[in-house]
Amino acid sequence: MEFLDKELMCGQCGKTFVFSAAEQQIFSDKGFNNDPKRCKQCKVSRNARRAIVETQVKCFECGIETTVPFTPTGKRPVLCSGCFQKLKMASNSGTALVRPAK
């Protein structure tokens, strides 16, 4: 399939931008079916706003202080990476991990 440069309108700032043939080829190779909705500047700006925020928490399972790449809501227990991996391995093997009541 031959791709040609095409102009699109950014859904965020309203300016037109070029969706190059090379970029279209990359989108196609990755299996993306839709054209981009934002120009490069707005995409970079949006990604910067959504940057990962690290939050310091106490692990529900072992009690150590750790950081997590999200802000906990308080609805679910937060685990350190070690306890999370143990839980994940136990669930993958079909073994039930019994947590002590706290």
Side-chain angles (χ1 to χ4, degrees):
M1 177 181 226
E2 186 177 338
F3 297 101
L4 302 173
D5 289 358
K6 58 180 165 179
E7 282 194 2
L8 301 175
M9 183 177 289
C10 177
Q12 187 169 338
C13 69
K15 296 179 183 176
T16 59
F17 65 97
V18 176
F19 185 35
S20 72
E23 290 171 320
Q24 292 175 53
Q25 181 66 52
I26 292 168
F27 269 52
S28 176
D29 292 346
K30 290 184 176 185
F32 299 155
N33 297 321
N34 300 318
D35 291 344
K37 303 284 187 237
R38 292 177 182 82
C39 64
K40 288 180 183 173
Q41 294 84 4
C42 288
K43 182 179 177 185
V44 168
S45 172
R46 182 173 189 255
N47 288 343
R49 286 192 309 268
R50 297 174 68 193
I52 293 175
V53 175
E54 296 233 333
T55 307
Q56 188 131 23
V57 295
K58 191 176 202 178
C59 176
F60 178 79
E61 192 69 32
C62 68
I64 67 166
E65 290 286 327
T66 188
T67 57
V68 291
F70 57 90
T71 303
T73 62
K75 294 180 181 179
R76 298 175 64 185
V78 179
L79 304 174
C80 67
S81 59
C83 291
F84 180 78
Q85 288 301 321
K86 287 179 198 171
L87 181 65
K88 188 175 174 181
M89 289 174 60
S91 66
N92 287 342
S93 68
T95 307
L97 184 65
V98 178
R99 291 193 177 141
K102 294 203 177 201

